[in-house]
Amino acid sequence: MTIEEVREEIDRIDAGIIDLIAARQAAAVRMAHEKYLAGAAVRDERRREALLKKVFEIAVEKQVDPVQVRRIFEILIDMSEERQREWTGEGNLP
Ligand SMILES: O=C(O)C(=O)C[C@]1(C(=O)O)C=C[C@@H](O)C=C1
């Protein structure tokens, strides 16, 4: 394989990652609706920690740096919470 071919492969993988991030954000909006109806807070500390623990374990299994994977998911969850706050208006002053 040439450098160009590997770069093309990386570009395809990156586009797939962005599609998945967009899908995750769309699910976050659906979650925002449900939380709004239920009167639930955007941040769920227990779920957040359980999810971060799970991805850490999966990364260990897959032999990718678990600390960095956890950091990536912290960012993804932060993005999700930010999107949910836009939809629920949580934190907005009256
Ligand atoms: O599971 C939830 O309650 C969500 O809103 C999803 C999500 C996430 O992005 O994974 C976002 C906010 C919460 O703090 C925990 C997890």
Side-chain angles (χ1 to χ4, degrees):
M1 254 192 168
T2 65
I3 286 180
E4 264 324 300
E5 283 168 341
V6 182
R7 282 194 179 141
E8 280 166 19
E9 184 186 353
I10 288 174
D11 286 348
R12 276 195 300 277
I13 292 168
D14 290 348
I17 291 172
I18 293 167
D19 281 347
L20 290 173
I21 293 172
R24 197 179 199 287
Q25 288 292 82
V29 170
R30 292 196 297 279
M31 180 66 94
H33 285 292
E34 297 306 322
K35 287 188 168 178
Y36 181 80
L37 294 174
V42 165
R43 177 161 288 194
D44 183 329
E45 207 61 60
R46 259 236 226 121
R47 167 70 182 159
R48 211 182 140 97
E49 276 317 308
L51 200 154
L52 290 172
K53 182 170 178 280
K54 191 177 71 187
V55 297
F56 187 98
E57 287 164 2
I58 294 171
V60 170
E61 255 174 55
K62 307 257 179 198
Q63 300 189 327
V64 285
D65 185 334
V67 174
Q68 299 294 23
V69 167
R70 190 187 150 102
R71 284 181 62 204
I72 291 168
F73 275 85
E74 279 170 348
I75 292 169
L76 290 174
I77 298 170
D78 287 348
M79 284 172 61
S80 158
E81 290 179 354
E82 196 179 317
R83 177 63 60 86
Q84 288 189 41
R85 286 194 188 99
E86 285 164 13
W87 280 79
T88 60
E90 187 182 282
N92 286 354
L93 291 172

